[in-house]
Amino acid sequence: MFDTRENIWAAFWMIGAAILIFALIPLLQTLPPRGRYLLIAFVTFIAGLFFAAEFFLPVDEKTGKNFLTDPFQRLQGSLQVITALSLGLGTYGLIRLHLRNAVQRRAQWGYSIVLLVSFVTMAFFSVWNTLAEKGLLGVQRTPLLERAFTLLFDYTLVQLDATMFSLIAFYIFSAAYRAFRIRSVEASILMFTAMIVMIGIVPLGKFISDSIGLPIMMTDEMRTNPFALETILYSLRLPEVANWILNVLNAPVQRAIEFGVGIGALAMAIRLWLSLERGIT
Amino acid sequence: MDWLLAFLPLNFERTSIWIGAICTLAIYSILYRENPFYRLFEHMFVGLAAGYALGPNLVDVIYRFWWEPIRQDGIWWLSFVVPFGMYLYFIYNEKYGWVSRIVIGALIGASAGLAFQAFSSRYLPQLQGALSKVLWYPPNSTGEIYISTILNNWIFVVILLAVLTYFTFSFEHRGAVKRTATLGRWLLMIGLGAIFGNTVMARMALLIGRVYYLLDSWLMVRIGGG
């Protein structure tokens, strides 16, 4: 790992930065509560300002960049690094909880052991696999890694994941039963639309449309004359109706929802950026 | 006899398929009722998922966005990123816990800044696209725009405005606004019905995938035309 000059310098910088950052903590600890609040609000504000400014500042016509573009790309990568570290934080919380369960032999501690063993085994092979893929630390791919990772990932995790999500298919039917009970105009519209879409996007829709003799193809002549009987009959095919609902009726509704969400997110972003949300103390 | 020999887990491939089938059946056993078999595999799933995330998300991301830029490009200031991110881990400490909020503040601030970007780069072009749809036949029409397109565009704009009216809470809905908002609510139901129908079918596709795995891969009952 440390066989080149670049690696040695990189390691030097990392160790130096770590010492400096952790040496700051006793200094930060001397801040009064008000100072801590201001520091957090300041960091929040500067981070928001940087990411907003990069977008809104004019760019050079030749390069298509402004002076913040390059650091912006680096900092976006850094955000991913910090987000990855926060994932480690979540994992740490999970492992801590189940370790306590196992050590203190709380109720159903056996399941915690299963979770811990699964976690350690998969973490080992996942890290090994990633290192081997990137060729890091001189790690090589071996038959043991191939077999163990295939077994754990392809034949266990992927299968469990797909099955877990397919379970929703069963529960969605009970949800559908509650949603489809016709109690109001809104529920009726919801039911009718969902039924048309569900039938229309599977081969059953095509089968029903073919069975009742609706035209199979849209010709150029039909396209130019939307009020001709043939065109109207073609448009009544269930797959066409389902497509029309999805593209013409559903698309503006989704866009309106997105606008609502976007404006809400913008308002929330301003409040967070200016530390107006309660909770930062 | 041949079928039985092929079916049993007597080699690596069949053992793997058996493990996949046992996982599938264990998770589906919750449909009957809560049971230890399900809970065992549920915990195994959580452990495996958490363990797997460490490889691509932690090692790969740190290598690509931290180690490599420092080592290859000499971006020395990036070396502060991981120690700074490590402040997050003080969250469990009562005395130093507040330090983690500096990192959380930076993440929230950056997300807010990116939200401004998202609004400008995503929603404004969408709004422009929605409001610049062709609603009339152009005088020099070449015939490429069909009357059905014009009708659909009108429907698009009317639905968009009606649903947006329903989402307007800044003033009380009365008279024409109330009627438009009611229409907007009904149209919203069409959208939600379409989303629901799509979701149901997507989940059904997943279920079909699992049943296919059990029948085809595990029980070796050849189905379909393939």
Side-chain angles (χ1 to χ4, degrees):
Chain A
M1 183 183 180
F2 300 110
D3 53 348
T4 64
R5 195 179 171 84
E6 288 90 0
N7 285 340
I8 293 167
W9 270 109
F12 171 76
W13 277 116
M14 285 166 193
I15 293 166
I19 292 170
L20 206 65
I21 287 279
F22 288 109
L24 262 182
I25 293 173
L27 200 69
L28 290 171
Q29 203 62 19
T30 60
L31 285 171
R34 179 75 187 155
R36 293 175 185 183
Y37 169 80
L38 287 175
L39 176 67
I40 295 164
F42 178 73
V43 169
T44 309
F45 179 78
I46 291 296
L49 185 67
F50 176 82
F51 280 93
E54 190 279 330
F55 184 75
F56 290 110
L57 281 179
V59 294
D60 185 74
E61 283 183 10
K62 285 179 188 167
T63 58
K65 291 178 177 180
N66 59 38
F67 74 100
L68 290 177
T69 306
D70 287 334
F72 170 80
Q73 284 164 355
R74 294 287 182 203
L75 277 176
Q76 263 197 323
S78 303
L79 272 185
Q80 291 203 40
V81 171
I82 296 178
T83 310
L85 289 171
S86 66
L87 177 90
L89 185 72
T91 309
Y92 170 69
L94 180 78
I95 298 308
R96 199 171 76 142
L97 173 77
H98 284 279
L99 264 178
R100 274 190 188 166
N101 280 353
V103 171
Q104 296 174 4
R105 301 212 169 186
R106 290 174 181 169
Q108 301 193 332
W109 60 275
Y111 295 123
S112 294
I113 297 278
V114 171
L115 188 143
L116 290 169
V117 171
S118 311
F119 171 78
V120 172
T121 315
M122 188 56 158
F124 176 74
F125 284 107
S126 176
V127 169
W128 185 1
N129 184 59
T130 309
L131 292 175
E133 262 182 7
K134 305 282 168 196
L136 298 173
L137 306 174
V139 175
Q140 300 290 321
R141 211 163 256 289
T142 65
L144 171 68
L145 172 65
E146 290 284 350
R147 287 205 158 186
F149 192 72
T150 303
L151 199 65
L152 286 170
F153 184 75
D154 293 333
Y155 287 98
T156 311
L157 181 60
V158 170
Q159 307 297 331
L160 286 169
D161 190 57
T163 313
M164 204 54 106
F165 281 100
S166 74
L167 265 186
I168 299 170
F170 293 96
Y171 294 114
I172 213 163
F173 283 120
S174 65
Y177 170 71
R178 283 193 290 275
F180 289 175
R181 274 186 302 180
I182 301 172
R183 287 177 302 182
S184 61
V185 179
E186 285 86 350
S188 314
I189 296 171
L190 188 95
M191 182 209 73
F192 185 71
T193 315
M195 293 301 278
I196 296 283
V197 170
M198 282 191 285
I199 297 170
I201 62 176
V202 294
L204 179 65
K206 185 178 178 298
F207 175 75
I208 293 172
S209 305
D210 290 347
S211 302
I212 57 176
L214 293 174
I216 296 168
M217 293 268 294
M218 166 78 107
T219 60
D220 282 342
E221 196 183 337
M222 286 159 73
R223 207 183 295 277
T224 50
N225 190 1
F227 300 110
L229 182 65
E230 278 287 292
T231 317
I232 293 170
L233 286 177
Y234 177 80
S235 306
L236 290 177
R237 286 177 64 83
L238 281 171
E240 294 305 313
V241 175
N243 258 334
W244 184 76
I245 288 174
L246 286 171
N247 295 327
V248 179
L249 301 186
N250 179 40
V253 170
Q254 291 225 30
R255 197 163 284 192
I257 293 171
E258 279 190 26
F259 286 154
V261 170
I263 291 169
L266 189 69
M268 181 54 85
I270 292 172
R271 287 187 63 79
L272 288 169
W273 180 41
L274 301 175
S275 295
L276 295 173
E277 279 297 302
R278 287 195 304 168
I280 300 175
T281 50
Chain B
M1 190 64 185
D2 288 345
W3 179 88
L4 190 66
L5 282 173
F7 173 68
L8 290 173
L10 300 176
N11 54 42
F12 178 72
E13 194 193 344
R14 285 304 298 169
T15 310
S16 307
I17 290 170
W18 267 78
I19 289 171
I22 292 167
C23 289
T24 306
L25 294 173
I27 298 298
Y28 280 151
S29 69
I30 187 71
L31 294 169
Y32 173 59
R33 67 177 184 194
E34 178 80 37
N35 63 78
F37 192 45
Y38 169 76
R39 285 191 69 80
L40 181 86
F41 279 83
E42 184 193 31
H43 280 76
M44 188 193 283
F45 176 49
V46 175
L48 290 174
Y52 174 72
L54 289 186
N57 293 345
L58 204 62
V59 176
D60 189 32
V61 167
I62 287 179
Y63 173 74
R64 263 195 300 151
F65 296 111
W66 189 64
W67 173 253
E68 274 297 285
I70 297 172
R71 194 180 67 90
Q72 282 190 342
D73 309 332
I75 316 283
W76 60 268
W77 57 265
L78 279 180
S79 53
F80 288 93
V81 171
V82 167
F84 178 66
M86 296 296 279
Y87 275 7
L88 275 173
Y89 290 82
F90 283 99
I91 205 163
Y92 291 109
N93 187 290
E94 205 173 315
K95 191 177 172 188
Y96 298 105
W98 75 274
V99 172
S100 64
R101 292 182 188 176
I102 301 173
V103 188
I104 295 169
L107 279 177
I108 287 174
S111 306
L114 290 171
F116 299 142
Q117 287 202 12
F119 189 81
S120 310
S121 61
R122 185 176 168 191
Y123 296 114
L124 292 183
Q126 274 191 9
L127 190 64
Q128 191 192 10
L131 297 179
S132 57
K133 282 189 175 292
V134 179
L135 296 176
W136 317 105
Y137 260 127
N140 57 349
S141 170
T142 57
E144 285 174 359
I145 296 168
Y146 301 110
I147 195 161
S148 54
T149 313
I150 305 274
L151 281 173
N152 284 337
N153 287 349
W154 269 103
I155 293 169
F156 188 99
V157 172
V158 167
I159 292 177
L160 182 69
L161 294 177
V163 177
L164 281 175
T165 306
Y166 175 67
F167 281 140
T168 309
F169 304 116
S170 305
F171 50 84
E172 192 183 345
H173 292 173
R174 279 185 191 162
V177 175
K178 188 178 179 182
R179 283 192 289 276
T180 312
T182 306
L183 175 68
R185 193 168 71 226
W186 290 350
L187 293 166
L188 190 64
M189 288 303 137
I190 292 179
L192 294 178
I195 294 169
F196 186 79
N198 247 341
T199 310
V200 170
M201 296 321 285
R203 299 303 171 200
M204 284 304 291
L206 275 174
L207 177 63
I208 290 166
R210 297 321 303 157
V211 173
Y212 187 82
Y213 178 82
L214 288 177
L215 288 176
D216 189 86
S217 301
W218 185 48
L219 294 175
M220 299 188 300
V221 178
R222 301 295 170 216
I223 45 176

